[in-house]
Amino acid sequence: MSTPIETLEFQSEARQLLQLMIHSIYSNKDTFLRELISNASDALDKLRLETFRDKELEADTSDLHVAIELDAQARTLTVRDNGIGMTRDEVVSLIGTIAKSGTADFLRKLKQAQDAAGSQDLIGQFGVGFYASFMVADKVTLVTRRAGTAEGVRWESDGEGTYTIQTVVDAPQGTAVTLHLKPEDAEDRLFDYTSPVKIREIVKRYSDFITWPIRMSKGSAADGEDAASESEVDTVNSMKALWARSKDEVTDQEYHELYKHVSHDWQDPLETIRLQAEGTFEYQALLFLPSRAPMDLFWRERKRGVQLYVKRVFIMDDCESLVPEYLRFVKGVVDAQDLSLNVSREILQQDRQIQLIRRRLVKKVLSTVKSMMTTDPDKYATFWTEFGRAVKEGLLDDVENRDAILDISSFASTHDAEKPTTLRQYVERMKDGQEYIYYLTGESRSAVEKSPHMEALRARGVEVLVLTDPIDEMWVDAVAGFDGTQFQSIAKGQVDLDTDEENETAKAEREQRQQDFAGLLSWLTETLGDTVKEARLSSRLTTSAACIVGDTHDMTPTLEKMYRAMGQDLPPVKRILELNPDHALIIRLREAHTARPHDDGLAQTAELLYGMALLSEGGELADPARFTTILASQLEKTL
């Protein structure tokens, strides 16, 4: 028996939304099934909770599940649950109107979304998941009965502005949504949703970790099998949300299989990281550090991020908002409890809860790597070799975690030609009276080690960090120091290796030397004024005649070259020419200048001296032809 059918009109904004759905504004229509299964799962959760609250509630909870029924001949798909169900008033309130879901705001954002993918991301954000059914159906029928009530409700609409509703007395507990499917249209990405293969594929992708079993007949009318086969039911989701299970219940093999599933890597992960937050905002995370860097780690077009789930419902593959750029190699799953289904990427970037999760994930990854340094140095060495270059980008981008990143970083140094050092190890080895962590950047270790800037530090046994990654050129200027010890480039500013006592002892000698070379230094500064900011005596040279250094805040030549390669138009940077007052060439040049201050040949010698200093650090001559001409002329005079 049933009551008379009542015809009602949709809220005006709901009609607009339905028309947008029907006219295929979304590119990925498969999401309709995810939304319906998610609604069904919520209904089962609510029933279980309600039975705990109300011991008098008459409800069957013996076999809670979601069922998917396909009929290829009738071209229908039904998603059925035996959950909490709805009353007539709830059906009218939740489905007949969507005013409380913020439809006007939804429509405004929908019109702003320029691409199909962008607009698809908005499904579910305002609680309109049920309406996704009209992307694939000409008509939708809903039959529901709330647990503990005697009568059910039948709702039906073709999405054209009205819907019918009537009371039915024989409805089972729960809700059944039947879609009368549109014809298949491959060009419009409208697939055959009566195909068991297609339905299993969608469930596996979006709803595999739903808590409740999702059941479907093993056969169907489309398969041409007999009725007995059709009646055999199969559970099509694994229900194995590894992140929600106790660590003791999950094997390493299961973790590794999940990693390979989410990362498409064929190797086992280097490290597995579990994280769970409880309280006012709950979420769970299962992250993985790969054992090798992917080929696209430094590609601009690469995809990054972890998979985002909401209550075990898959939302998006590469949620960039949860992982900073410098940790783009981290893979895994984050399952939040209080986010809207399929929130848009724009909303994710602004969501306070997402930002809290992100901060916690970053700190957990960094602390895990730090623990790895002491508990498994070989594993840490593999991690840093594969991902160190990317992690160091965080020294520029993530000021909040800069100290933590420095703490897990390793660098090549002159202490050991094969084994890198941490900054803490460097500080522990610093000589008495050493104030700075010394470093030198360059294109290769060989170029750095052969640099004339290294001579005095090598002679005194002072350790120098050898920084050869392109990112090193940038972060060293942004980071002041480590654990209270400042960084100092040995190619910039003054490098004073003497103790206070040594400085006091040699003070008179240095002052005398400065007077002796004052004329030469002044002449060189004037003669090489187009390329040199200043000529001065050096404390960093022992064997080379001269070197070129920058002022403390000058851009390094390598960094300048990088910017020019990117099309940046930079003004030329004049640097400082430092002379070794103990070198025979410099002594002879001073004597010659004193004797013949106006000799044009000395000016050419000055050019050669600057050119040799430039070449010794791996620089490029502005005019190689002139340099070789002058060199040939000078050599001729010696024969």
Side-chain angles (χ1 to χ4, degrees), residues 32-33 67-79 179 181 192-200 215-223 230:
F32 85 90
L33 186 57
I68 301 176
E69 301 165 4
L70 307 176
D71 188 331
Q73 293 182 346
R75 288 202 54 74
T76 61
L77 178 151
T78 300
V79 176
L179 310 187
L181 298 167
D192 180 8
Y193 295 112
T194 65
S195 165
V197 174
K198 180 62 180 176
I199 297 305
R200 288 172 187 271
R215 298 171 183 167
M216 192 171 73
S217 297
K218 289 185 177 181
S220 73
D223 296 323
E230 290 180 37

Side-chain angles (χ1 to χ4, degrees), residues 151-164:
E151 294 182 332
V153 180
R154 186 177 188 273
W155 177 100
E156 188 171 271
S157 176
D158 59 5
E160 290 298 325
T162 62
Y163 61 91
T164 62

Side-chain angles (χ1 to χ4, degrees), residues 10 18-19 21-24 29 32 36 74-77 130-142 155-164 177-185 188 190-191 193-194:
F10 282 108
L18 283 170
Q19 289 304 308
M21 291 284 184
I22 292 168
H23 290 93
S24 304
K29 297 177 176 58
F32 85 90
L36 295 181
R75 288 202 54 74
T76 61
L77 178 151
F130 173 78
Y131 289 88
S133 303
F134 287 98
M135 294 190 295
V136 300
D138 289 321
K139 183 172 65 174
V140 177
T141 303
L142 178 145
W155 177 100
E156 188 171 271
S157 176
D158 59 5
E160 290 298 325
T162 62
Y163 61 91
T164 62
V177 181
T178 299
L179 310 187
H180 303 266
L181 298 167
K182 297 177 181 179
E184 184 179 356
D185 186 348
D188 194 28
L190 189 62
F191 302 106
Y193 295 112
T194 65

Side-chain angles (χ1 to χ4, degrees), residues 404-420:
I405 297 171
L406 285 174
D407 218 10
I408 66 167
S409 298
S410 291
F411 307 93
S413 86
T414 55
H415 176 72
D416 191 319
E418 301 296 331
K419 187 178 179 181

Side-chain angles (χ1 to χ4, degrees), residues 10 40-41 58 75 137 170 255 424 451 462 485 588 609:
F10 282 108
S41 176
E58 295 183 6
R75 288 202 54 74
D170 55 350
Y255 281 138
R424 199 162 298 283
S451 170
V462 176
T485 305
R588 293 290 302 274
L609 184 66

Side-chain angles (χ1 to χ4, degrees), residues 228-240:
S229 175
E230 290 180 37
S231 64
E232 294 182 22
V233 176
D234 188 20
T235 299
V236 293
N237 63 321
S238 70
M239 296 181 288
K240 288 185 178 181

